[in-house]
Amino acid sequence: MPEKELVFGHRNPDTDAVSAAVAYSYLQNKLGFNTEAVALGEPNLETKFVYDHFDAKYPRVISAINGEVKKVMLVDHNEKQQSVSDIDDVQVTHVVDHHRIANFETKLPLYYRAEPVGCVSTIIWEMYQENEVEIPAKIAGLMASSIISDTLLLKSPTTTDVDRKALKDLAKIAGIDYEAYGLEMLKAGTNLDSKSTQELIDMDAKSFDMNGNSVRIAQVNTVDIEDTLKREAEFVSDIKAENQKNGYNLFVLLITNILTSDTTGVIIGDDSAIKTFEEALNTKVSDNKASLPGVVSRKKQVVPPLDAKF
């Protein structure tokens, strides 16, 4: 049997990071590899809804490899700071991703597949087709959920025709009405009252190095921004503590209304970094907040203009 490899998505995993690992691991095992899908964190509210709905087992949670394997496969990320803490100690043999490539290098050649689509599970769906491997209904449900999550039910500007085609096919295999199920699923992820503000700013957060500046961008989905901002003082206090502890030059919390596709940002950081944010996003930060109408995608609408301005 081939040497075992672990397959995983990024830290603070969302539905796609975990489910893409599950789907890719299944595919790779069918193609002769020996892999196990793992997760770099516990499920968020939306992901828990998905795994309960499809009666799927959530992968084992790890934060480091700790010598368990020598080789790994990455999905839904490539940047080192978003991966396991000891990523430098293992060989990355495969990457399937739909993000920018940054802060990533390997000593040996690897299989790398990246496409500018809305969801990495869309790419994995293509790979199932190319290899003529049948997708089990349960995995199809997880993959469909990933596309719904990443594209906000095909409303995000990251959505492509391939995502639409993949979602329709996967929903058919899974036996779901993706529009009715999708809305229920997205709403499940917006029940924020049970979470502390600290948990919310950690739940879907990614770190970026932008020209030597340490930038942290977190995102929470809601159906009522004003209601979420009732805890604004706590958000600000927790973010300031995070900046102090981790040396972030800028922390952006995106509070996104999934029904109207608008966002309010809570922006805390160095004066110069806040000014850069205002210029990049063409907005004004007042009382730590900025209005970002039409912004729903961190990957496409926030990271690129911000990175270009730093």
Side-chain angles (χ1 to χ4, degrees):
M1 187 180 271
E3 186 179 350
K4 183 181 176 181
E5 301 187 45
L6 295 181
V7 184
F8 48 85
H10 52 76
R11 296 183 195 185
N12 302 319
D14 54 9
T15 301
D16 191 29
V18 180
S19 302
V22 171
Y24 191 53
S25 173
Y26 180 88
L27 174 64
Q28 291 295 73
N29 290 346
K30 284 289 181 187
L31 297 177
F33 290 90
N34 173 21
T35 73
E36 179 195 355
V38 292
L40 303 194
E42 297 295 337
N44 63 30
L45 292 168
E46 177 194 279
T47 309
K48 187 173 185 324
F49 172 90
V50 169
Y51 278 71
D52 287 348
H53 183 91
F54 291 103
D55 193 25
K57 188 174 185 299
Y58 191 79
R60 178 166 65 96
V61 175
I62 67 164
S63 59
I65 303 299
N66 291 326
E68 184 185 342
V69 294
K70 292 176 181 165
K71 296 177 178 180
V72 298
M73 303 181 185
L74 311 184
V75 296
D76 205 31
H77 76 296
N78 64 83
E79 299 188 47
K80 187 161 76 171
Q81 71 278 9
Q82 296 172 8
S83 202
V84 284
S85 56
D86 51 0
I87 191 70
D88 286 338
D89 298 339
V90 291
Q91 180 189 345
V92 178
T93 63
H94 295 67
V95 178
V96 184
D97 196 12
H98 67 135
H99 296 95
R100 71 175 193 169
I101 301 172
N103 199 16
F104 176 81
E105 59 183 3
T106 60
K107 293 186 178 71
L108 295 167
L110 75 161
Y111 176 97
Y112 200 114
R113 178 148 174 179
E115 292 182 34
V117 293
C119 177
V120 83
S121 285
T122 297
I123 306 171
I124 295 168
W125 170 78
E126 291 180 304
M127 296 168 77
Y128 271 91
Q129 314 298 311
E130 291 158 8
N131 288 286
E132 298 181 339
V133 173
E134 192 177 323
I135 306 174
K138 192 175 284 191
I139 289 180
L142 301 180
M143 293 170 76
S145 302
S146 299
I147 298 172
I148 291 165
S149 174
D150 264 21
T151 67
L152 286 180
L153 201 45
L154 306 178
K155 284 185 192 159
S156 169
T158 59
T159 310
T160 67
D161 286 341
V162 192
D163 296 298
R164 292 184 187 93
K165 190 177 172 186
L167 178 54
K168 280 175 184 162
D169 183 57
L170 291 164
K172 191 176 172 186
I173 297 168
I176 55 169
D177 172 341
Y178 71 81
E179 291 190 331
Y181 164 77
L183 201 55
E184 192 185 355
M185 180 196 115
L186 290 174
K187 282 186 174 174
T190 66
N191 178 20
L192 307 179
D193 293 343
S194 62
K195 298 280 184 186
S196 70
T197 48
Q198 182 64 51
E199 286 174 311
L200 291 176
I201 65 171
D202 281 338
M203 201 161 62
D204 180 10
K206 290 183 179 180
S207 297
F208 300 90
D209 181 327
M210 297 187 181
N211 198 20
N213 293 278
S214 181
V215 178
R216 183 81 161 166
I217 305 176
Q219 186 167 27
V220 295
N221 291 337
T222 182
V223 289
D224 187 341
I225 289 175
E226 288 308 310
D227 185 60
T228 305
L229 281 172
K230 281 180 185 169
R231 294 194 275 171
E232 183 185 340
E234 291 170 64
F235 279 124
V236 170
S237 172
D238 288 342
I239 290 170
K240 283 181 175 174
E242 285 289 304
N243 285 0
Q244 183 82 29
K245 179 179 158 191
N246 298 294
Y248 299 134
N249 301 99
L250 182 68
F251 195 117
V252 177
L253 170 64
L254 304 169
I255 303 171
T256 300
N257 186 321
I258 60 166
L259 302 180
T260 63
S261 299
D262 290 318
T263 291
T264 294
V266 178
I267 322 296
I268 309 284
D270 306 340
D271 289 346
S272 60
I274 290 173
K275 192 169 189 308
T276 301
F277 177 87
E278 289 179 325
E279 289 172 2
L281 276 296
N282 194 23
T283 188
K284 280 280 168 214
V285 176
S286 175
D287 289 331
N288 303 314
K289 293 192 298 297
S291 178
L292 301 165
V295 170
V296 295
S297 171
R298 167 176 49 199
K299 179 181 73 176
K300 194 162 187 175
Q301 294 171 292
V302 180
V303 172
L306 200 50
D307 195 31
K309 275 287 178 191
F310 267 113

